[in-house]
Each structure stands twice: as structure tokens, then as C-alpha cells.
Amino acid sequence: DAEMPPSLASCFGAKGTVIVVPDEKRSGDKYSAAAELYSKDFGLEVASDSEAGARDFVRESSLFVFGWPGENRVSRLAGQYLSTRMKVDEKTFTVDGKTFDRAGTVAAVAVKNAAAPGKTICFVFSGAPKTETIKAARRLRYFSEYGYVVLPADKSVVHGRFEVKNLLSYTAGDKHP
């Protein structure tokens, strides 16, 4: 499993995946509505980032973390895993060498969880209003084989897979050391 590239499917299909949403005071309820959609459709638990001190989300299960680092405490805590795949600043973010405006855009990025081998953390970020965030959450399930999906406002979907590094390989006929 460690040799497989991370994908959104790793969270949609993993038993015990938890969706961590930010406290509604910081982000309104746009993430809560999207999380409830996934909870009903995939049987996933929804928890608040206010539980971050009481539960070790990062070590317990695969995660959907909804919210930018300034919105979700767990996003800030787990951001170290994201930093090799995505850079975020105040108005833009960059994933796989492509830069996007945060405003109006919904993005999902899957990364391997270094703290729990075999687990994946899928970050879902939205610079869009609640209705657009829910629409995007519905669409993301159709791109589950990808490591990242970006749904810019009024533009084409951008998606891709991240390369896996340090894979062992063996070819028939190779001599063992």
C-alpha cells in the first residue's frame, strides 16, 4: 500500500475514515454540509477540529480534512504532509506546478500519512460559497482515482496523480544481491 500513489479513493473507500470539519464559527457551514453528504453516502464519521486535542486524528484513521490551514486546526497540524504536494498563500495555491486562485475554487489533494502507514489524508479546500462547495463535493467522487482535483470557478477541471518515490522494482532475470 505504501507503494501506491495516494488518491481520493483511499479515503472514500477506507473503513473508519473520519471527516474533520472546522468549527462553524471560522468557516460558516459550507464544509459541514459537504461532510454530511459524504457521511450519508459513504458511512463516514464526521468530527469537529475542536476535538483535535482530545483525539489523535492523524494516527487513528484515514482522513478527509475540510478547510484551509487557517480554517481547520487539523489542516494546520497535518499540513506538514501536504507541504511537499501543495503550497498555499493568502490568495493562491499551487499544486503539481500549477497555480490557482483560491477565490471561487474547490480543490482536493490526497497525501500519504507518514504518521500511519497505509492511511491517507485527503484535504478538501474551498474558496467558493456553500452551494458551490456542495456541488463540488458531489463531483469529487467521480475523480476518486486521482491524487488531486481542482475545480476552478467557470473553468475546466484539473486533475492528476502524484508520482510515488522510492519504489522497489524487480525484473525477471535480475540477480539478487
Side-chain angles (χ1 to χ4, degrees), residues 170-176:
Y170 175 77
T171 306
D174 283 354
K175 293 186 181 190
H176 296 305

Side-chain angles (χ1 to χ4, degrees), residues 112-171:
K112 288 291 185 180
N113 184 345
K119 305 289 183 185
T120 300
I121 302 173
C122 295
F123 295 88
V124 179
F125 307 105
S126 179
K130 178 181 176 178
T131 55
E132 296 305 312
T133 300
I134 295 168
K135 285 181 191 176
R138 284 189 180 109
R139 291 182 70 194
L140 284 174
R141 70 183 79 209
Y142 299 109
F143 297 95
S144 64
E145 74 259 28
Y146 295 105
Y148 67 90
V149 179
V150 180
L151 302 160
D154 302 324
K155 294 183 183 172
S156 297
V157 175
V158 177
H159 54 75
R161 294 178 181 89
F162 296 117
E163 289 183 34
V164 177
K165 296 179 176 137
N166 300 327
L167 292 179
L168 297 174
S169 66
Y170 175 77
T171 306

